Amino acid sequence: MKLAENFLWGGAISAAQTEGHYLEDGRQPSNYDQVPLNNQRLKAVYQDQVPNLMQPAKKEIYPGRFGIDFYKTYQADIKTLSELGINSFRFSISWSRIFPTGEETEPNQAGLAYYDAILDELDKYGIEPIVTLSHFEIPLHLVKKYNGWASREVIALFVRYAECLMTRYQKRIKYWIPFNEMNMILHIPFIGGGVQFTTGANNLETQYQAGHHQLLANALVIEAGKKINPDFQFGTMLAAGKTYAYTADPKDVFAAVKSDRENLLFADVQVFGAYPNYIAHFFEEKQIHLDMTDDDQAILKANTVDFVSFSYYSSACTSAEDKDLETVATNGFTTLRNPYLPKSKGVWQNDPLGLRITLNQLYDRYRLPLFIVENGLGTEDELDNDQVHDTYRIDYLREHIKNLILAVQEDGVPLMGYLMWGIIDLTSVSEGKIAKRYGVLYVDQDNDGGGSHRRYKKDSFYFYQKVINSQGASVFE
Ligand code: BG6
């Protein structure tokens, strides 16, 4: 098999990490705007813990509030990105720009006008929009009033928001991703769903309940969307990455099976329309009693996704027992350091073959077209004489792109496209810093938002341009 002629080569960003101007033109704050840049960032889910997310402190820096100024720079940025030859671009819409508190009955016209303008720009260069409706964002008002996605009330509000956009953009947007990385609700619940914990409660139950509400919302959005335009295509969005067993000990292998299942649960429901058998015992063991009605189950069954989109940064590794093994950070959680993977520049482990393994795992399991909607290397770059010689990023991209092409050519995986994450430098979710850079476009900005904000093409810009122009062939040269 060859890469499809209409293979989607592109890049991806999110509103929360780029737009800034968080109170402009009627927008109100979201959960993400409350998360400060400090080392408590990802742990900050207990209401009684420091930092108190509901009472921002003057001394803290809040990257969600300034992003990379994309609210103002989108025209120039899209123009520069179009020089890469990309034919697709994934961005997210900020719920609180459209329904600032989440509870309005009429949308904010200024918010809609902003996304109209982004679509106009993309149109100008023949770039297909891939739109995420919720990329780690929920209006702060809904966090305060309902504890975010922990409450069922939020479902109808989200569906209203989605319907408004799907109606307005029925002729302009074909590919919709209702939620970014739904499995992140299990790792970073405040960012993934505006969910805060209460001391002494069964917080794991709250996380799965919030996930169930997102699954229902996802299904209801698909139901509404297919009525608006039957050609709409909906995708899941899973933070993927095969979990390896640390050894061939069957106990380690089974631990890896269980870890993969935890990761794939939400995608399983989105693809198959029902919770898998394996989860019943886990829920029993953890005393998780989901509030799930017969109607809920019928809704899930009737409205499944059309494609499986996912992010891939690294594989994971696990063992059955805590053997005092070295751990390392990965996307949203920690995992064992895999002794077979060389240490690389960048915090997360670098495993290009792991992408091919993951593509095979997902296609074997789901038999739906796959779509890589995030992949990239986050690390520090140096701007020297207006240039960035990011050979490490070029190596990362080359090896990952090689593996995705081999997955298509040799393994027969149907792949819709490849969107590089953080195609333009943006503020990192896990670290909050822009210093963890992903882009092929460098943004001259500091972690506190200062700097000239000028954009510079890195060496990886020209590398990716060549990859796209050659339909991937240049990675084998
Ligand atoms: C994914 C998210 O989890 O990983 C992105 O969808 C995020 O929003 C990306 O930026 C990389 O993670 P980080 O923590 O380096 O920003």
Side-chain angles (χ1 to χ4, degrees):
M1 232 163 84
K2 286 170 82 175
L3 284 195
E5 280 198 3
N6 56 354
F7 190 80
L8 296 166
W9 289 105
I13 61 167
S14 76
Q17 294 167 266
T18 59
E19 284 181 5
H21 301 268
Y22 80 117
L23 296 178
E24 207 154 318
D25 293 334
R27 188 187 183 281
Q28 288 193 27
S30 73
N31 57 332
Y32 196 84
D33 303 326
Q34 301 296 110
V35 188
L37 187 164
N38 66 28
N39 54 13
Q40 298 290 311
R41 199 172 154 78
L42 296 188
K43 295 187 201 131
V45 287
Y46 281 93
Q47 272 152 344
D48 53 0
Q49 267 184 1
V50 179
N52 185 331
L53 296 167
M54 293 305 117
Q55 281 169 3
K58 282 220 165 61
K59 64 176 176 43
E60 301 282 7
I61 294 168
Y62 294 92
R65 300 177 182 194
F66 50 79
I68 55 160
D69 203 29
F70 190 71
Y71 192 64
K72 299 289 180 196
T73 60
Y74 66 93
Q75 277 178 309
D77 288 340
I78 292 173
K79 181 173 189 295
T80 312
L81 291 173
S82 76
E83 292 171 25
L84 285 165
I86 54 171
N87 58 9
S88 50
F89 182 67
R90 173 176 172 237
F91 64 98
S92 70
I93 293 183
S94 170
W95 187 352
S96 40
R97 273 199 202 287
I98 309 300
F99 290 96
T101 66
E103 293 203 294
E104 294 80 359
T105 49
E106 293 302 322
N108 171 26
Q109 293 303 323
L112 290 170
Y114 171 62
Y115 295 105
D116 291 352
I118 290 204
L119 291 170
D120 289 346
E121 279 320 291
L122 294 175
D123 246 11
K124 204 189 272 180
Y125 304 105
I127 299 174
E128 177 92 45
I130 317 288
V131 172
T132 315
L133 289 170
S134 174
H135 192 126
F136 294 160
E137 272 190 293
I138 172 172
L140 185 63
H141 170 76
L142 301 181
V143 173
K144 291 182 174 164
K145 185 164 172 187
Y146 297 115
N147 198 17
W149 282 98
S151 167
R152 201 172 260 271
E153 308 283 335
V154 170
I155 300 174
L157 300 172
F158 183 76
V159 175
R160 175 158 70 200
Y161 155 67
E163 272 186 311
C164 159
L165 296 170
M166 293 191 297
T167 306
R168 187 176 185 95
Y169 299 132
Q170 53 187 294
K171 298 218 169 77
R172 307 193 74 182
I173 299 172
K174 177 175 176 189
Y175 298 103
W176 300 89
I177 298 174
F179 290 93
N180 184 58
E181 296 188 339
M182 214 184 263
N183 46 334
M184 280 297 150
I185 197 91
L186 302 178
H187 302 294
I188 45 173
F190 186 76
I191 289 178
V195 174
Q196 289 193 283
F197 286 170
T198 313
T199 311
N202 184 348
N203 290 314
L204 196 59
E205 181 177 75
T206 309
Q207 282 169 281
Y208 278 97
Q209 189 65 53
H212 179 65
H213 294 149
Q214 290 191 343
L215 285 170
L216 278 174
N218 177 76
L220 289 166
V221 168
I222 296 176
E223 182 178 62
K226 295 278 182 182
K227 282 185 196 142
I228 294 168
N229 181 348
D231 292 335
F232 280 170
Q233 294 287 293
F234 291 91
T236 173
M237 172 40 178
L238 151 80
K242 173 82 184 143
T243 310
Y244 303 145
Y246 191 73
T247 72
D249 181 341
K251 290 200 203 86
D252 284 350
V253 174
F254 194 55
V257 168
K258 289 214 268 194
S259 164
D260 268 344
R261 283 177 167 175
E262 179 188 308
N263 228 16
L264 296 172
L265 171 73
F266 298 117
D268 282 356
V269 179
Q270 287 178 298
V271 172
F272 300 123
Y275 278 80
N277 290 349
Y278 63 77
I279 203 66
H281 178 70
F282 173 82
F283 280 170
E284 205 178 294
E285 204 176 59
K286 303 287 179 193
Q287 300 188 340
I288 293 172
H289 306 286
L290 278 198
D291 168 22
M292 173 162 34
T293 65
D294 291 348
D295 269 2
D296 290 359
Q297 298 194 32
I299 290 166
L300 294 176
K301 191 80 212 164
N303 303 290
T304 54
V305 289
D306 302 299
F307 61 92
V308 173
S309 35
F310 65 96
S311 60
Y312 176 85
Y313 291 92
S314 180
S315 53
C317 185
T318 195
S319 119
E321 287 155 43
D322 183 6
K323 296 178 188 134
D324 223 8
L325 297 164
E326 190 188 349
T327 58
V328 60
T330 184
N331 191 6
F333 56 100
T334 50
T335 186
L336 293 183
R337 179 172 285 289
N338 183 334
Y340 295 95
L341 298 179
K343 290 198 180 170
S344 55
K345 188 161 158 60
V347 194
W348 298 347
Q349 295 185 105
N350 181 345
D351 181 13
L353 179 56
L355 174 59
R356 182 171 176 183
I357 295 170
T358 301
L359 282 160
N360 277 282
Q361 173 201 28
L362 296 179
Y363 188 59
D364 286 350
R365 192 175 183 110
Y366 297 131
R367 296 284 158 144
L368 284 180
L370 304 182
F371 194 177
I372 301 166
V373 294
E374 284 187 31
N375 172 248
L377 177 71
T379 192
E380 291 186 0
D381 288 324
E382 203 180 320
L383 181 67
D384 182 15
N385 235 342
D386 293 355
Q387 296 184 331
V388 180
H389 302 303
D390 54 344
T391 44
Y392 38 89
R393 184 167 294 103
I394 291 175
D395 290 345
Y396 180 100
L397 293 174
R398 183 193 307 105
E399 294 311 310
H400 283 77
I401 294 170
K402 257 186 205 168
N403 274 284
L404 73 85
I405 292 175
L406 292 174
V408 174
Q409 286 181 345
E410 297 186 3
D411 309 331
V413 169
L415 185 61
M416 294 163 60
Y418 174 82
L419 308 182
M420 198 207 135
W421 175 252
I423 189 145
I424 175 166
D425 289 347
L426 38 70
T427 60
S428 144
V429 168
S430 54
E431 300 191 13
K433 301 173 183 163
I434 195 167
K436 189 179 181 194
R437 296 173 183 275
Y438 284 89
V440 297
L441 263 192
Y442 184 93
V443 177
D444 182 28
Q445 181 177 310
D446 308 324
N447 289 333
D448 60 7
S452 75
H453 302 120
R454 275 192 59 188
R455 280 50 170 155
Y456 298 88
K457 292 172 185 163
K458 303 181 193 176
D459 287 357
S460 56
F461 185 97
Y462 303 102
F463 166 81
Y464 193 38
Q465 187 176 50
K466 199 166 162 202
V467 171
I468 296 173
N469 287 339
S470 67
Q471 266 283 57
S474 65
V475 298
F476 294 101
E477 281 167 6

